[in-house]
Amino acid sequence: MLECPRMSNRKSELWQKMTSGKNFILLAGPCVIESQEVCKQIASHLKELCKELDILYVFKASFDKANRTAASSFRGPGMKDGLKILEHIAAEYDVPLTSDIHAPEQADALSQVLDILQVPAFLCRQTDLIQAAARTDCIVNFKKGQFLSPQEMSRVAEKALEVGNKRLMLTERGTTFGYNNLVVDMRSIPIMKKTGYPVIFDATHSVQLPGGQGDRSGGEREFAPVLAQAAVAAGADGLFIETHLDPDKALSDGPNMIRLDKMRETLERALNIWKLQK
């Protein structure tokens, strides 16, 4: 079995906090990097809010949305420019970072900037991608495929273990339910927690209506806070939430994103349930 690289102090400290059982975890930000200014506004707001609520915060934004419904849809600035913006966010706001990895050859460059590599749901069975991410010194977050049972995620984790990485997370994000719809089975949370890895609930992608608007996906953002509370009650260690100042004007996934000014209410309710669980 190959050993993955030794973690930097920053990443090691983050992993210790994530697995201590003492910290509610939030991975949040805009769906895609629209601009540095939008990222700054969201990161600044969430950093202060999470500091006040004592939540472990990781900033999330995608530099490339490679799975858009239509070829003409906005995808983001790309890896080179996107990583520059993410580096700026980390430096200015002192927050850990996560973003998607789409191809094995991206792993080394991404690991120089990101703390958590996120393997997208559609790619969670791709062995070469999984193992390339796992060979870095990053924590690796696997989004559960819309087509997989929660039990199958242990097989995904095993692929990472083969190359020596035990710093893994699993994220529930809904299951395909007919055409253009998803459903969440809350049994998936305790099932995936049996692996021993932190389990996160993706509240906003779980209310997505994939391809529901013909040339783009729709969503039912009003249900995201409800499902977030249910997932935390079921044992989730934290939440993944995409948020925007004005979701109706967002360039990707607007219909399922939570307004930034609604994040306090959403987090406070989920956090209260998490504390009761403890």
Side-chain angles (χ1 to χ4, degrees), residues 140-156:
V140 184
N141 180 23
F142 296 110
K143 304 289 284 288
K144 182 177 77 64
Q146 303 91 324
F147 45 86
L148 290 183
S149 68
Q151 292 89 341
E152 291 172 272
M153 289 305 290
S154 64
R155 302 295 180 218
V156 174

Side-chain angles (χ1 to χ4, degrees), residues 31-34 63-78 211 213-218 250-254:
C31 176
V32 66
I33 297 174
E34 298 181 5
F63 56 83
D64 181 17
K65 297 299 293 184
N67 61 346
R68 297 302 306 273
T69 302
S72 59
S73 296
F74 179 76
R75 288 182 52 167
Q213 294 185 6
D215 63 343
R216 69 196 70 182
S217 293
L251 300 182
S252 177
D253 273 358

